[in-house]
């Protein structure tokens, strides 16, 4: 079977466009990295705190630049999620381990999908709604009304539901009773009152215990993690439910399960660190001093 006469020319055009797009992403990321002093400092401080002597200052700086590049691509992909035809988005998502979620939901208690700010989590969640079944996104409602509507439309465009964090457990329980998978991102810093301390990259980090609380009530909790692939597609991997050791000490059970969740998230981040949200002040409650300028001045001295 011969290719259409114009196929080679079209492939060359797409190749040129892809090359131009990569060039633009790299240069926009470089400009952002140089101009956004605050997030550059946070990223470098996080990398120094997490990796210590495992990475030299130069290696941390190069990794930080790749993080910025990842999030420039992320921003472009957000426009794609808002504007691109749904069949295109569906084709760009690969889901592995769907059978684990289906087996969990067969118990009739719903399921919690714990997630991280890794890869393009928004892309894979929309893909899950298009390819598998409607899921539920738990997220903070933005303060700006226009931005809040935009975020809600994006998250519900593929057939998913959204529950604002402000509604908390009531909204989550309603969807679990309807036997839906509920996605909760667990890798951001929380308030002292709203989180427990668990180890993350060798340091205690304040983490939401909601998924662990639900696990002790019998709800399956499955790590559901994302990554952008080299060809531009997006991978979601759904792992089997995390085991829960239920004893007469509820607090110890919750703490133990939350520590297991954190270890799984850390392992995923370590395999592809440039696709995680190092721009977030993950340890700000316990170690606010690492975000002070003096902490990581040596990490950027002579690098820019």
């Amino acid at each position: 079977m011969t290719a259409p006469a114009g196929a080679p020319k079209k492939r060359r055009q797409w190749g040129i466009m892809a090359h131009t797009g990569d060039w633009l992403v790299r240069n926009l990321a470089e400009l952002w990295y140089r101009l956004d002093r605050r997030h550059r400092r946070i990223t470098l401080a996080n990398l120094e705190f997490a990796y210590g002597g495992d990475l030299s200052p130069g290696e941390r700086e190069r990794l930080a630049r790749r993080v910025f590049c990842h999030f420039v691509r992320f921003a472009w992909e957000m426009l794609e999620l808002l504007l691109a035809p749904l069949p295109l988005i569906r084709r760009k998502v690969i889901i592995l381990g769907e059978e684990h979620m289906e087996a969990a939901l067969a118990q009739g208690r719903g399921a919690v999908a714990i997630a991280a700010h890794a890869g393009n989590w928004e892309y894979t969640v929309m893909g899950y709604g298009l390819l598998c079944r409607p899921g539920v996104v738990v997220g903070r409602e933005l303060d700006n009304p226009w931005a809040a509507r935009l975020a809600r439309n994006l998250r519900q465009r593929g057939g998913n539901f959204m529950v604002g964090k402000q509604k908390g457990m009531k909204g989550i329980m309603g969807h679990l009773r309807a036997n839906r998978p509920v996605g909760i991102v667990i890798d951001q810093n929380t308030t002292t009152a709203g989180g427990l301390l668990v180890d993350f990259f060798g340091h205690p980090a304040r983490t939401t215990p909601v998924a662990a609380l639900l696990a002790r009530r019998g709800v399956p909790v499955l790590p559901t993690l994302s990554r952008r692939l080299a060809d531009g597609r997006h991978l979601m991997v759904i792992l089997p439910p995390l085991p829960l050791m239920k004893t007469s000490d509820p607090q110890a059970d919750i703490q133990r399960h939350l520590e297991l969740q954190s270890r799984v998230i850390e392992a995923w981040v370590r395999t592809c660190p440039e696709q995680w949200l190092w721009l977030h002040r993950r340890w700000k409650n316990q170690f606010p001093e690492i975000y002070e300028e003096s902490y990581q001045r040596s990490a950027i001295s002579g690098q820019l």
Side-chain angles (χ1 to χ4, degrees):
M1 183 177 179
T2 60
K9 181 178 180 180
K10 187 171 290 187
R11 282 196 296 269
R12 285 196 301 272
Q13 289 172 340
W14 278 111
I16 292 169
M17 288 175 64
H19 180 76
T20 302
D22 286 342
W23 178 87
L24 185 60
V25 164
R26 289 194 304 270
N27 281 274
L28 285 174
E30 179 65 20
L31 181 63
W32 178 25
Y33 186 81
R34 288 180 175 275
L35 295 180
D36 190 348
R37 183 170 176 271
R38 176 175 176 269
H39 285 105
R40 183 178 71 235
R41 287 179 54 244
I42 290 171
T43 301
L44 289 167
N46 279 332
L47 290 171
E48 183 178 1
F49 194 62
Y51 285 96
D54 292 341
L55 294 178
S56 69
E59 288 171 327
R60 290 194 297 267
E61 196 262 343
R62 287 190 290 274
L63 177 53
R65 289 175 186 271
R66 296 201 301 273
V67 171
F68 276 62
C69 194
H70 163 71
F71 281 102
V72 170
R73 294 187 189 278
F74 189 102
W76 172 257
E77 290 161 353
M78 290 298 97
L79 291 175
E80 195 170 272
L81 289 179
L82 285 167
L83 302 174
L86 292 179
L88 172 65
I89 294 169
R90 187 185 294 114
R91 289 195 299 270
K92 290 185 65 175
V93 176
I94 302 169
I95 296 177
L96 299 180
E98 180 189 355
E99 68 275 10
H100 300 310
M101 182 62 74
E102 292 304 310
L105 292 172
Q107 301 175 34
R109 298 175 178 173
V112 170
I114 57 167
H117 290 88
N120 191 326
W121 59 93
E122 300 283 4
Y123 215 112
T124 51
V125 166
M126 186 180 291
Y128 180 85
L130 292 169
L131 291 165
C132 303
R133 61 165 68 221
V136 182
V137 178
V138 179
R140 186 178 70 85
E141 293 278 11
L142 301 178
D143 297 330
N144 182 283
W146 182 86
R149 284 196 299 272
L150 189 66
R152 182 171 285 274
N153 288 341
L154 183 147
R155 288 168 174 166
Q156 295 181 341
R157 187 179 179 222
N160 294 320
F161 304 90
M162 180 177 168
V163 170
K165 283 185 179 179
Q166 292 86 338
K167 295 183 179 179
M169 192 66 78
K170 181 179 179 180
I172 292 171
M173 292 305 298
H175 285 287
L176 291 175
R177 284 191 291 270
N179 203 33
R180 296 187 181 114
V182 176
I184 301 176
V185 180
I186 67 163
D187 62 343
Q188 281 196 311
N189 181 68
T190 66
T191 63
T192 301
L196 299 176
L197 289 175
V198 294
D199 182 88
F200 190 64
F201 279 85
H203 304 285
R206 192 70 63 178
T207 306
T208 177
V210 171
L213 285 164
L214 292 168
R216 201 175 187 280
R217 295 183 185 184
V219 178
V221 174
L222 299 82
T224 307
L225 301 162
S226 303
R227 178 168 301 154
R228 182 191 299 106
L229 302 177
D231 63 3
R233 291 184 296 171
H234 300 272
L235 173 68
M236 172 187 278
V237 176
I238 304 172
L239 300 176
L242 297 176
L244 174 81
M245 183 185 299
K246 192 169 184 178
T247 70
S248 59
D249 187 342
Q251 191 60 37
D253 297 347
I254 290 166
Q255 182 73 33
R256 190 164 47 247
H257 198 269
L258 191 58
E259 288 170 353
L260 178 57
Q261 294 174 33
S262 186
R263 287 200 296 273
V264 172
I265 296 295
E266 180 183 330
W268 185 261
V269 172
R270 283 184 179 274
T271 61
C272 193
E274 66 269 22
Q275 292 193 27
W276 189 66
L277 190 63
W278 294 99
L279 294 85
H280 167 69
R281 293 183 297 165
R282 182 66 179 98
W283 291 276
K284 68 178 181 180
N285 278 16
Q286 303 307 118
F287 304 96
E289 67 277 6
I290 74 172
Y291 302 110
E292 296 174 2
E293 185 171 1
S294 59
Y295 174 78
Q296 42 75 55
R297 183 175 293 161
S298 62
I300 62 175
S301 177
Q303 299 295 327
L304 298 178

